[in-house]
Amino acid sequence: MTVSNITLTAVSGLCLLLLYKCVLYPAFLSPLSKIPNAHWSASVSPVWMLWKRFRSQNNQTIHKAHAKLGPIVRLSPSEISINCVDGGIKSVYSGGFEKHEWYPRVFGSLGTVSMFTMTGSKAHSTRKRMMSSIYSKSHLQSSPHMRLISEEVLYNRLLPLVHTAVSSNSPVEVHDLNQGITMDFVSSYLFGLANGTNFLQDPAGRQKLLELYQGRKPYEFYHQEVPDLLSWLKLVGIRLIPKWCDAANDVLDAWGLDLCDRAEQSLKSTDPRVEPAVYKQLTQALLKQGPAQGDQLKQRRLDIACEMYDQLTAGFETSAVALTYLFWELSRSPKVQKELHDELLTLEPTLAYPRPQGSTGLPAPKSIDALPLLEAVVTETLRLHAPIPGIQPRITPYPSCSLAGYNDIPPNTRVNAQAWSLHRNPEVFPSPETWQPQRWLKDANPSSDIDEMRRWFWAFGSGGRMCVGSNLALQEIKLVVAAIYTNFRTSIVADDDMEEIDAYTVKPRGEKLVLKFEPV
């Protein structure tokens, strides 16, 4: 009887402890209990939010919660979301909050991590110092590598291809085309023009590789949100991710390593057509840390390849999405398209194709960057159709912090913000679901508070972890748009399912946009 009483007491005590830790404390006593719940169960269980993410409803779900409950909401017992600048993204992303393990779970490759996926700020800062100068605006605008790449991609690949389609009165599927454009630009800058891809002139190879790359995306949820479940089930022979994803990863890893190995053979070259600008920069920076031998040398090769692969895939995918939505919006707005064409004609030399007799070279990147309407068109597209609109998870610091008016937020709480919601604040962006480039032009819209809009603009993130390749993306996008709309006008042939998928990195649900190009 005594043993039974002791057992009963122990079981009762355990039940009470679990009740306190799993229900009473998180729901009523934790500092997070004061934050509005996105769902009635959010304070005691992550299941509701996990279900929304499993069903690819993350961005919309969080946005609706903020619209209803304000600038901070609780998504699960230890996860919150913020949607404000002061006391929000300014505190978290410019305040040194460390990255969550969510990043290396999904975006790591070759068994190692890149600058983007490093969780610790010290390791990230060290790597960023190695890379930031080669991605600075001043360097890119004066780079002989970028000048040659731009000439090659525009005048030897893209414009002849579009001109042929116009001559044969054939429509063009531009989303696929844009992925070729951006892959050729980014790979050539990373590895050298002679070593980069030529996807524009190899549509079969482009589509084969992109199928492998995109096919794995629906399974990212498991790595992001339930990695332990993934591991446990795998131990008992249950696979949530099919084997072909492993095979696809192997092919992509081998492809990335091959690009690096070819760049390695060109390290001694100073010819801008051959020299691998970014690869060389990182390799030389790592060499300054000391020589490597044996296993260290093998690991360094993988570290470099992982970094290059991350910059390549992130750079091509996001810029391609931005170009697709920019072409779509301009094709629906003939008036803006005409005004942009008129502005582009002020460039000297012209970007006309075929080139007028005696015309050589490209306009200075600074002159393209200074065009106000082009800037407004690109910025508004990135606001409404941010290629990465999804969450950017961070971890709250020890011992506590304050966010959006709430104090004593405990350490190791996952905190996210997302461009999808920041860019749709109607108090900052009136009629936020409409594409209005003029909102960024003071002369066209004197009532616009452009400085405030720029504080909320988050297409490239903010703080020390903001996108290192943002200047490259903007220079490349503006140049392509300038070349196309100097020479052609576009109209829609088919734009079914142009709504963005709900994901970290988006694309049109239909994965295509068919346009008709006509000479201006």
Side-chain angles (χ1 to χ4, degrees), residues 171-173 328 491-496 498 512-516:
V172 178
E173 201 289 274
W328 183 53
S491 56
I492 293 169
V493 175
D495 64 346
D496 300 333
M498 283 298 293
K512 68 178 182 178
L513 170 63
V514 183
L515 299 181
K516 181 180 181 181

Side-chain angles (χ1 to χ4, degrees), residues 264-298:
E264 182 72 21
Q265 300 303 312
S266 304
L267 270 181
K268 294 182 180 179
S269 176
T270 57
D271 180 351
R273 294 188 64 86
V274 179
E275 187 179 22
V278 180
Y279 180 90
K280 189 172 188 175
Q281 173 94 356
L282 178 58
T283 301
Q284 291 180 340
L286 289 172
L287 280 173
K288 290 178 182 178
Q289 295 183 337
Q293 295 180 342
D295 290 342
Q296 287 182 326
L297 189 61
K298 292 178 182 178

Side-chain angles (χ1 to χ4, degrees), residues 83 382-383 386 388-392 417-424 456-461:
N83 189 43
L382 293 173
R383 180 198 68 82
I388 300 181
I391 57 173
Q392 304 288 351
Q418 57 178 29
W420 182 274
S421 297
L422 290 162
H423 290 177
R424 283 166 171 77
W456 284 74
F457 182 76
W458 216 52
F460 299 107

Side-chain angles (χ1 to χ4, degrees), residues 112-147:
T112 185
V113 294
S114 64
M115 174 171 55
F116 175 70
T117 54
M118 292 171 177
T119 55
S121 57
K122 185 176 181 180
H124 170 268
S125 296
T126 300
R127 180 66 60 83
K128 188 174 181 179
R129 283 195 294 271
M130 298 177 186
M131 308 296 299
S132 56
S133 63
I134 203 154
Y135 282 117
S136 70
K137 180 184 281 192
S138 60
H139 182 90
L140 287 163
Q141 289 184 343
S142 61
S143 166
H145 305 82
M146 278 301 295
R147 185 169 63 250

Side-chain angles (χ1 to χ4, degrees), residues 25-152:
Y25 181 78
F28 302 106
L29 301 176
S30 166
L32 298 181
S33 65
K34 301 177 178 64
I35 297 173
N37 290 320
H39 185 259
W40 64 266
S41 67
S43 63
V44 296
S45 171
V47 170
W48 173 76
M49 197 65 230
L50 287 174
W51 177 245
K52 292 293 185 181
R53 286 172 176 153
F54 176 74
R55 298 184 64 195
S56 299
Q57 296 175 349
N58 177 85
N59 302 344
Q60 295 283 357
T61 296
I62 293 176
H63 183 61
K64 288 177 183 177
H66 280 299
K68 181 180 179 181
L69 300 171
I72 185 168
V73 295
R74 192 178 187 184
L75 304 177
S76 77
S78 60
E79 181 181 1
I80 58 178
S81 176
I82 52 173
N83 189 43
C84 55
V85 176
D86 296 323
I89 60 171
K90 193 173 180 181
S91 299
V92 174
Y93 298 91
S94 298
F97 286 37
E98 301 284 24
K99 275 192 168 182
H100 191 274
E101 286 291 337
W102 185 92
Y103 289 91
R105 290 176 195 163
V106 182
F107 301 109
S109 63
L110 296 164
T112 185
V113 294
S114 64
M115 174 171 55
F116 175 70
T117 54
M118 292 171 177
T119 55
S121 57
K122 185 176 181 180
H124 170 268
S125 296
T126 300
R127 180 66 60 83
K128 188 174 181 179
R129 283 195 294 271
M130 298 177 186
M131 308 296 299
S132 56
S133 63
I134 203 154
Y135 282 117
S136 70
K137 180 184 281 192
S138 60
H139 182 90
L140 287 163
Q141 289 184 343
S142 61
S143 166
H145 305 82
M146 278 301 295
R147 185 169 63 250
L148 284 169
I149 292 165
S150 300
E151 286 264 6
E152 172 66 24

